[in-house]
Amino acid sequence: SRPISYPGGWTIIHKNELQLHSINVHYSPSHKYSLGYISEYLDKENYFFNGIKSNYLLKRNNTKNSQANIYLKNSIGTSYSNYKEFNEKLQFSFTSGIALDWETRRYFAMYENRYSDSGEIGHFFHQKFKIGIAPYLGNYGDLHTWAMIQFDHTPGSNYIYSVTPMLRFFKGTTLFEIGMNTKFQPLINLTIRF
């Protein structure tokens, strides 16, 4: 359902989801972990986060017809905001979360959560669940297509719940997702591995 990270590989990920826009560039010294730079912008609160992000493969289970993964995802850095009373506030920040996925050549399911703490600027918890189905089974090197739906939950935000139908396409080392949520906000995500 997605391009595979490999030892010695670089990845660029651009996400535009709900109110959060981000870019992440990371290097994978092994198949078990990656380390890189992440920059995020939350448009409703004029909030910026810049830091170092790590992904660690805690567990992988391969069977003849499926694969399941558990990842730990953490980052440390600084957050900046000039929203209302923050007036150009700069704070030490960190994020921590877990991601689980299971897939076959036909079906996909994923759960991910994240806690973000930016000191006086604030903190939030976000979780999402995504399921998908491939309408056809392609061979290696073909263009692969998935119909997916994503459910987001962010307590305490303007968008506590959101549902996003989307299409995922990938070929080789490039993945592209496009969709629109129930708040009529576009989702456009791009991942390139090289």
Side-chain angles (χ1 to χ4, degrees), residues 27-123:
Y27 174 73
S28 300
S30 81
H31 76 284
K32 293 283 284 184
Y33 72 97
S34 65
L35 188 64
Y37 169 76
I38 186 165
S39 181
E40 298 179 327
Y41 173 65
L42 187 62
D43 57 7
K44 290 292 185 183
E45 297 181 1
N46 204 18
Y47 164 91
F48 291 89
F49 171 78
N50 288 283
I52 297 169
K53 181 175 182 181
S54 69
N55 295 325
Y56 178 74
L57 176 62
L58 186 64
K59 177 72 174 168
R60 171 166 288 157
N61 184 36
N62 285 314
T63 70
K64 183 179 177 181
N65 298 311
S66 69
Q67 182 181 93
N69 301 290
I70 303 173
Y71 292 94
L72 300 178
K73 298 185 173 190
N74 298 288
S75 62
I76 57 169
T78 58
S79 293
Y80 167 86
S81 179
N82 62 4
Y83 180 71
K84 293 184 177 179
E85 72 275 10
F86 296 124
N87 194 21
E88 300 184 1
K89 191 85 161 172
L90 185 66
Q91 293 279 288
F92 170 79
S93 303
F94 72 90
T95 70
S96 186
I98 191 166
L100 316 166
D101 66 61
W102 171 86
E103 64 183 292
T104 67
R105 294 188 67 212
R106 174 78 66 185
Y107 303 105
F108 175 83
M110 182 271 300
Y111 170 79
E112 183 174 342
N113 66 34
R114 173 178 144 173
Y115 173 74
S116 300
D117 191 318
S118 299
E120 293 178 24
I121 294 174
H123 54 87

Side-chain angles (χ1 to χ4, degrees), residues 113-193:
N113 66 34
R114 173 178 144 173
Y115 173 74
S116 300
D117 191 318
S118 299
E120 293 178 24
I121 294 174
H123 54 87
F124 70 90
F125 177 77
H126 174 254
Q127 59 185 341
K128 64 183 172 184
F129 177 68
K130 186 184 293 187
I131 54 174
I133 186 167
Y136 63 90
L137 298 180
N139 293 318
Y140 181 79
D142 289 350
L143 173 66
H144 298 269
T145 305
W146 290 78
M148 295 187 162
I149 188 163
Q150 179 173 302
F151 304 90
D152 290 89
H153 176 229
T154 310
S157 75
N158 292 335
Y159 303 100
I160 296 173
Y161 297 101
S162 178
V163 178
T164 309
M166 70 180 75
L167 292 175
R168 171 183 285 186
F169 306 95
F170 84 87
K171 181 175 173 61
T173 60
T174 303
L175 179 148
F176 178 71
E177 292 178 325
I178 188 164
M180 183 166 293
N181 69 15
T182 50
K183 314 290 185 187
F184 300 102
Q185 296 170 306
L187 174 144
I188 302 171
N189 295 333
L190 177 65
T191 300
I192 301 172
R193 299 193 191 276

